[in-house]
Amino acid sequence: MKFHALMPVAAAIGLLSQTGALSAQQPIAIATPPSGSIYNSTAAAIGKVLADKAGLKMTLQAIGGSSQYIPLINAGEVPFGIANVYETNLGVTGADYFKGRPTKDLRTVAILYPLRNTIFVRKDSDIKKLSDLKGKRGPVGFTAQKVLTAVTNAALAPGGLTLDDVNGVNVANIISNVNVFKEGRTDFFVFALGGAPIREADASVGGVRALTAENTPANVAAVKKQVPVAYLRHEEPGPGSPGLLEPGYLVSYGVNLLASTKTPDDVVYKVVKAIHDNADELGKVFPPLRLLDQKAMAQEIPDVEYHAGAIKFYKEIGQWPPKKM
């Protein structure tokens, strides 16, 4: 099954309005950032496995970034989407760049895996640690994916830096952040471990290297100041982690599948059950999904409610109430 951005938002709205209600037999749109992003690859893997194993059809709706499509999910214009748990909280509570427009109908469906975010530089660069990035050229703005300001600041925090300490180059989203690096316009980029664009950047510039952090109380506190739900997770080099050349700690936080109160309960139930029952297959399609923990798909996210269809499934398998993160 081939996946790409088949339906513009208007078409997704038309699908819902023509039928009056979404059903699991119809194509189910899932919003993601552009092709190449880790969320887009995650959605493609979910779509493939759900089609192969559960007879559910999903189409990817590639939009500029999560800060753009979270309001669309909330409004019921796209039934599903993927975002990190920090931004999900910001949307529901109407904080930061969602101020004045809270997405109170947004619901979480499942925790998919920990997103392991870090800074990458050229392998031959004289930048050896995070603090060396002071005064270097780096991505800023993130106009279509505003959460990247906070998560990049969290990745920089163990080095005692924020984006205010670099010479900024404006970018729109996670993919353009990698592209300007490959073009030589920045000295570093931010990305989640395991993403395909890291491998592409590695090939483009003759090798990239991830900058890791030391796991100290001070560094954890600095990270949490930027992204309160983040933590430092130990990672080892391996074929699925291009750019990670030595063991170290990376800033991590959960990624969740989203829906809204307007997404039908039976559709959410079937999607969650299919993800749970086919976790091994998902990991074979997209390596970061190997980190999906079937026993921890229901985790508490501050101020965020679970969708009724997901709650029904978690109660059936004895995973309710959700675990503390």
Side-chain angles (χ1 to χ4, degrees), residues 179-260:
N179 289 339
V180 297
F181 172 81
K182 292 192 293 185
E183 293 165 5
R185 295 166 53 198
T186 57
D187 299 306
F188 70 90
F189 68 96
V190 61
F191 215 88
L193 196 66
I198 302 171
R199 199 177 302 278
E200 293 166 8
D202 188 74
S204 176
V205 304
V208 297
R209 174 164 33 87
L211 301 181
T212 60
E214 292 185 25
N215 188 14
T216 67
N219 282 347
V220 172
V223 166
K224 287 184 174 294
K225 184 177 179 181
Q226 301 294 334
V227 177
V229 296
Y231 57 96
L232 291 175
R233 176 186 165 100
H234 188 262
E235 298 293 338
E236 295 280 345
S241 302
L244 185 64
L245 306 183
E246 58 187 14
Y249 287 86
L250 304 184
V251 174
S252 302
Y253 38 84
V255 169
N256 65 149
L257 182 65
L258 299 174
S260 80

Side-chain angles (χ1 to χ4, degrees), residues 6-325:
L6 296 175
M7 301 186 345
V9 173
I13 297 170
L15 174 64
L16 294 176
S17 62
Q18 289 169 11
T19 62
L22 185 67
S23 75
Q25 284 69 48
Q26 296 171 322
I28 305 167
I30 180 168
T32 76
S35 177
S37 68
I38 198 163
Y39 293 171
N40 186 277
S41 298
T42 297
I46 291 173
K48 181 180 190 310
V49 171
L50 265 58
D52 292 346
K53 302 295 183 180
L56 300 174
K57 300 176 182 178
M58 299 195 85
T59 60
L60 271 62
Q61 178 58 59
I63 299 172
S66 50
S67 59
Q68 292 182 331
Y69 60 69
I70 281 178
L72 299 178
I73 300 168
N74 179 72
E77 295 176 6
V78 184
F80 289 96
I82 297 176
N84 71 54
V85 297
Y86 173 62
E87 187 171 32
T88 303
N89 169 271
L90 293 181
V92 170
T93 60
D96 203 339
Y97 47 87
F98 290 105
K99 187 175 181 179
R101 52 188 189 102
T103 56
K104 293 187 176 180
D105 288 332
L106 198 67
R107 295 292 184 267
T108 189
V109 170
I111 301 295
L112 298 175
Y113 52 78
L115 195 71
R116 302 153 298 160
N117 224 39
T118 194
I119 302 294
F120 292 85
V121 299
R122 292 177 64 113
K123 185 177 179 180
D124 60 3
S125 169
D126 60 359
I127 302 169
K128 304 300 182 185
K129 54 186 184 298
L130 289 166
S131 58
D132 293 339
L133 292 169
K134 186 176 179 64
K136 301 296 185 182
R137 300 168 301 161
V140 298
F142 302 110
T143 52
Q145 207 167 356
K146 295 181 180 180
V147 73
L148 289 175
T149 296
V151 301
T152 305
N153 280 336
L156 291 168
L161 306 176
T162 71
L163 286 171
D164 291 337
D165 297 305
V166 308
N167 290 319
V169 175
N170 283 306
V171 300
N173 55 33
I174 195 71
I175 298 301
S176 54
N177 141 82
V178 181
N179 289 339
V180 297
F181 172 81
K182 292 192 293 185
E183 293 165 5
R185 295 166 53 198
T186 57
D187 299 306
F188 70 90
F189 68 96
V190 61
F191 215 88
L193 196 66
I198 302 171
R199 199 177 302 278
E200 293 166 8
D202 188 74
S204 176
V205 304
V208 297
R209 174 164 33 87
L211 301 181
T212 60
E214 292 185 25
N215 188 14
T216 67
N219 282 347
V220 172
V223 166
K224 287 184 174 294
K225 184 177 179 181
Q226 301 294 334
V227 177
V229 296
Y231 57 96
L232 291 175
R233 176 186 165 100
H234 188 262
E235 298 293 338
E236 295 280 345
S241 302
L244 185 64
L245 306 183
E246 58 187 14
Y249 287 86
L250 304 184
V251 174
S252 302
Y253 38 84
V255 169
N256 65 149
L257 182 65
L258 299 174
S260 80
T261 56
K262 302 169 186 67
T263 311
D265 293 359
D266 66 316
V267 174
V268 172
Y269 176 90
K270 290 174 182 178
V271 168
V272 176
K273 178 175 171 35
I275 290 172
H276 176 274
D277 293 351
N278 295 284
D280 289 345
E281 289 300 317
L282 287 168
K284 291 176 184 177
V285 177
F286 186 48
L289 280 164
R290 293 171 187 166
L291 300 176
L292 190 155
D293 184 350
Q294 292 163 292
K295 297 180 180 179
M297 288 173 60
Q299 295 182 32
E300 186 178 90
I301 304 173
D303 302 307
V304 179
E305 297 179 41
Y306 269 78
H307 193 284
I311 293 173
K312 178 183 178 183
F313 176 72
Y314 294 132
K315 284 183 175 179
E316 288 180 0
I317 62 172
Q319 286 190 30
W320 195 260
K323 294 183 177 182
K324 295 279 187 180
M325 295 187 71

